[in-house]
Amino acid sequence: MKRNILITGGAGFIGSHVVRLFVGKYPDYRIINLDRLTYAGNLANLRDVENRPNYTFVKGDICDYDAMRSLFAEYDIDGVIHLAAESHVDRSIRDPFTFARTNVMGTLTLLQAAREHWNGAWEGRRFHHISTDEVYGALPFDGTLFTEQTRYDPHSPYSASKASSDHFVRAFHDTYGFPAVVTNCSNNYGPYQFPEKLIPLFINNIRHEKPLPVYGRGENVRDWLYVEDHARAIDTIFHRGRDGETYNIGGFNEWRNIDLIRVIIRTVDRLLGRPEGASEKLITYVTDRAGHDLRYAIDSRKLKEELGWEPSLQFEEGIEKTVRWYLANQEWMDDITSGEYERYYQEMYTGR
Ligand SMILES: Cc1cn([C@H]2C[C@H](O)[C@@H](COP(=O)(O)OP(=O)(O)O[C@H]3O[C@H](CO)[C@@H](O)[C@H](O)[C@H]3O)O2)c(=O)[nH]c1=O
């Protein structure tokens, strides 16, 4: 079947994996990647697909209503996978306006453009909104999990903006019958992640023997999922999920930050031929993140039971692959860690 699918934020970390999967797996689909190319958007993430005949890149801003209307008309878009977002919690603490603009107004703008273009003919159309488990707030260390019924309780400006965007998507479904689905995923890791996030930041710092800034006492817990498994879940839900539903996506793979950091240190040291534990000395406990959520853990049984998806990669294998990728792609890392990044890094971590 021929389809015209708009993927927003396709030059970002998760977006680039979704674009790669769809371009390769669905030669009959036309994949339009819309990205504003902010600091985190990088066309180098898509070098291997940029010349494929079913792939088109468009530089643009999801907040630009006229541009979005023209885009829907020009490509006669019938499906949207919306990943474009500001995603880094620490940045949201310093600059909440940007998060409200992109994540809330950007999502609303896209919803309106899609609603206008589809004009009530919902059959065969779909708006898949990609969100986060952070909207659910924080869990204690008691084994409980976020389910699709968990009440929203966001704490950071980032998660507040994502929660708001999720509410707009559901409001469009409930008010207009708009064909939307929402997914909330846990922490992703893998190739092409911007090195402000824990795993690529620490791999790069270990390589350069720079301090590893552990927030607080390193006791916060996150659930980690390999990014290609997330992309497969999106493929499954985009095609077979039910309108108006929410699906949680997670790895059933909880790690305390400090334990995860030790695994990364061991893996990088081994692959660089350094003595075991040599880089442990780089661990530096720093001031905690304001409002730092203690624990995220997600129950993705609904997705497994209804649609048969489950993570395919064991964490040990995923981390090994990820570390190897960053060490083998130092040029990619060097390109994005020059200029503006260096200023951000200094501001963020000097004297923290
Ligand atoms: C960057 C950094 C992070 N941390 C801690 C904070 C968190 O407890 C944990 C992971 O941090 P981050 O990599 O920033 O990810 P986190 O805040 O959990 O949020 C991620 O995961 C979310 C899904 O849970 C996504 O919605 C977000 O977009 C994504 O950024 O490591 C440190 O201890 N030191 C650091 O330098």
Side-chain angles (χ1 to χ4, degrees), residues 18 23 37 71 91 167 176 203 249 259 276 329 333 335 341 348:
V18 177
V23 166
L37 299 182
L71 189 76
R91 288 188 192 250
H167 290 320
Y176 310 112
I203 295 171
I249 309 170
D259 299 330
E276 197 180 324
N329 288 275
M333 185 63 92
D335 279 353
Y341 176 86
M348 199 61 214

Side-chain angles (χ1 to χ4, degrees), residues 86-90 131-134 158 162 185-188 193 196-199 201-202 212-216 218 220-224 257 261 286 289 292-293 296 349:
E86 291 291 336
S87 70
H88 194 48
V89 175
D90 295 323
S131 190
T132 168
D133 60 0
E134 299 198 13
Y158 161 68
K162 290 299 286 185
C185 190
S186 62
N187 285 59
N188 281 213
Q193 188 169 30
E196 61 188 350
K197 305 283 169 32
L198 181 74
I199 292 182
L201 175 69
F202 278 34
L212 306 176
V214 180
Y215 297 168
N220 302 64
V221 168
R222 298 290 181 265
D223 171 71
W224 294 92
N257 288 343
I261 289 162
V286 298
R289 173 184 279 173
H292 199 174
D293 286 334
Y296 303 142
Y349 294 111

Side-chain angles (χ1 to χ4, degrees), residues 114-257:
R115 182 167 82 91
E116 187 179 286
H117 184 66
W118 297 341
N119 195 24
W122 307 137
E123 190 60 34
R125 267 81 188 252
R126 165 146 285 176
F127 189 103
H128 183 157
H129 178 60
I130 308 301
S131 190
T132 168
D133 60 0
E134 299 198 13
V135 296
Y136 297 124
L139 293 165
F141 295 125
D142 64 355
T144 49
L145 303 171
F146 297 134
T147 73
E148 288 81 0
Q149 279 72 46
T150 303
R151 211 176 132 260
Y152 273 33
D153 183 23
H155 299 142
S156 70
Y158 161 68
S159 53
S161 70
K162 290 299 286 185
S164 171
S165 67
D166 295 8
H167 290 320
F168 268 109
V169 175
R170 291 197 186 97
F172 266 56
H173 173 267
D174 296 349
T175 307
Y176 310 112
F178 185 80
V181 66
V182 177
T183 55
N184 297 81
C185 190
S186 62
N187 285 59
N188 281 213
Y189 70 100
Y192 301 114
Q193 188 169 30
F194 193 81
E196 61 188 350
K197 305 283 169 32
L198 181 74
I199 292 182
L201 175 69
F202 278 34
I203 295 171
N204 194 42
N205 282 12
I206 297 168
R207 184 185 172 111
H208 293 292
E209 297 185 74
K210 285 164 75 173
L212 306 176
V214 180
Y215 297 168
R217 291 161 55 194
E219 283 173 352
N220 302 64
V221 168
R222 298 290 181 265
D223 171 71
W224 294 92
L225 179 69
Y226 193 68
V227 62
E228 288 179 6
D229 276 333
H230 187 190
R232 276 194 314 104
I234 291 171
D235 177 21
T236 303
I237 296 160
F238 177 78
H239 288 99
R240 297 196 287 115
R242 288 180 290 134
D243 278 342
E245 290 291 318
T246 296
Y247 296 88
N248 282 349
I249 309 170
F252 287 112
N253 177 42
E254 288 181 49
W255 284 83
R256 235 173 28 134
N257 288 343

Side-chain angles (χ1 to χ4, degrees), residues 46-88:
L46 288 165
R47 285 281 174 262
D48 53 330
V49 300
E50 65 189 4
N51 294 320
R52 302 287 278 271
N54 61 339
Y55 172 73
T56 304
F57 172 70
V58 177
K59 185 172 186 309
D61 184 351
I62 55 169
C63 295
D64 183 341
Y65 186 50
D66 291 337
M68 291 308 102
R69 289 172 69 195
S70 312
L71 189 76
F72 273 82
E74 182 179 349
Y75 293 101
D76 192 17
I77 302 296
D78 55 58
V80 179
I81 304 177
H82 175 37
L83 297 115
E86 291 291 336
S87 70
H88 194 48

